[in-house]
Amino acid sequence: MKITNLGSRDHASFYVACELFNQISEQPKSILGLATGGTMIEVYHYLVELLLKNKQDVSQIETFNLDEYVGLSQDHPESYHHYMQDIIFNPYPHFSKDLIHVPNGVAPDLEEEAERYESLINQQGPVDIQILGIGENGHIGFNEPGTPFDSPTHVVDLTESTIKANSRYFDNEAEVPKQAISMGLNSIFKAKRIILLAFGKSKREAMMRLQEGKVNPDVPATILHEHPNVEVYVDDEAMP
Ligand code: F6R
């Protein structure tokens, strides 16, 4: 696996937006695996810009988000449903609603919701391009250190590290949900092509551990060493 330094967040974001755009325009029935979080914001801004400029048909594009916080309703400003609406689906309102999938974090039976989501990915998949960010602790999706590599979509207890890191998006740490529903490492691994992005010095240590090259369940992203088609792009600060 090669880690490529594209210099700045801006360059890397534009590059990955172009890759997503090309996938969409070349294969109008593509399935995209989407991440949320700070890392993706500029990628999606550039993607929307490209879609608008090219009046791109996205009516047959299907999307699966990696995860959602447990307990946050779709209209909560920090829910990943809301994030996706705000950043992609409202600014480019041409996606087919029934082809947009985000786990339901307020489902009455969370285990059942995780199973439903996993079955849907298996039925519709494989995902053509899966976009990933990385946690400071090496998580991908919300697969925290120690998650078994064969895990399907499941309910996750977030670690202290993730709760602390994500408290920057909430008023205070106490408001960060303690659980999430996340695609598992096995669900992510099934994608045909995976692109991981890491920006800023807070991600440098995780990138150093990824670069070591050993598959290690304490650093969930290292499972990607076993995948045949992974690209990793970073900025100067995250470059190990
Ligand atoms: C988000 C997700 C997470 C984030 C990671 C980095 O859907 O699955 O793995 O990609 O926590 O988050 P940011 O980009 O906010 O630093």
Side-chain angles (χ1 to χ4, degrees):
M1 177 202 298
K2 195 165 151 234
I3 299 179
T4 304
N5 182 356
L6 294 181
S8 66
R9 171 189 284 257
D10 192 52
H11 284 173
S13 299
F14 185 65
Y15 178 76
V16 172
C18 289
E19 292 294 290
L20 287 171
F21 177 77
N22 288 338
Q23 174 72 38
I24 292 171
S25 59
E26 282 161 22
Q27 205 181 304
K29 279 191 174 180
S30 294
I31 304 185
L32 306 179
L34 300 178
T36 55
T39 308
M40 300 302 149
I41 290 176
E42 287 175 41
V43 175
Y44 296 150
H45 282 162
Y46 278 126
L47 176 62
V48 166
E49 197 176 305
L50 290 165
L51 295 172
L52 285 166
K53 279 187 196 297
N54 293 281
K55 298 188 176 54
Q56 178 62 44
D57 175 19
V58 292
S59 59
Q60 297 180 87
I61 296 293
E62 184 152 19
T63 66
F64 283 93
N65 264 77
L66 281 169
D67 38 25
E68 177 59 287
Y69 288 117
V70 164
L72 298 194
S73 64
Q74 298 194 5
D75 52 4
H76 187 289
E78 291 310 329
S79 74
Y80 291 157
H81 274 90
H82 189 274
Y83 173 109
M84 295 304 295
Q85 289 301 329
D86 203 34
I87 297 183
I88 301 189
F89 301 129
N90 288 342
Y92 199 71
H94 306 292
F95 287 84
S96 300
K97 283 196 174 54
D98 54 341
L99 297 180
I100 292 173
H101 311 289
V102 183
N104 178 6
V106 291
D109 185 332
L110 295 170
E111 305 292 341
E112 201 176 283
E113 169 61 7
E115 274 173 40
R116 180 196 69 80
Y117 202 73
E118 181 71 18
S119 308
L120 195 60
I121 297 169
N122 289 334
Q123 182 191 308
Q124 303 298 98
V127 164
D128 292 294
I129 299 188
Q130 175 67 58
I131 304 295
L132 297 174
I134 187 167
E136 291 171 22
N137 63 3
H139 75 208
I140 50 175
F142 275 135
N143 293 285
E144 301 286 33
T147 304
F149 284 159
D150 62 357
S151 55
T153 303
H154 61 300
V155 180
V156 175
D157 291 327
L158 299 177
T159 58
E160 276 310 307
S161 158
T162 298
I163 291 171
K164 208 170 165 32
N166 287 9
S167 65
R168 68 191 194 278
Y169 303 119
F170 291 81
D171 287 342
N172 56 60
E173 210 171 300
E175 284 187 23
V176 184
K178 306 291 177 283
Q179 286 188 309
I181 298 183
S182 177
M183 279 169 61
L185 292 172
N186 185 250
S187 344
I188 293 171
F189 199 81
K190 288 180 196 154
K192 291 189 202 163
R193 178 182 177 198
I194 297 179
I195 301 178
L196 184 143
L197 282 172
F199 301 139
K201 58 180 187 304
S202 66
K203 301 294 170 72
R204 188 158 175 265
E205 197 184 319
M207 297 314 291
M208 285 169 75
R209 299 188 73 186
L210 186 61
Q211 198 189 31
E212 282 168 14
K214 286 188 295 262
V215 176
N216 174 2
D218 289 340
V219 186
T222 59
I223 189 186
L224 300 177
H225 286 300
E226 298 198 337
H227 192 283
N229 195 8
V230 179
E231 295 142 78
V232 182
Y233 300 109
V234 299
D235 64 1
D236 285 332
E237 290 184 333
M239 185 66 185

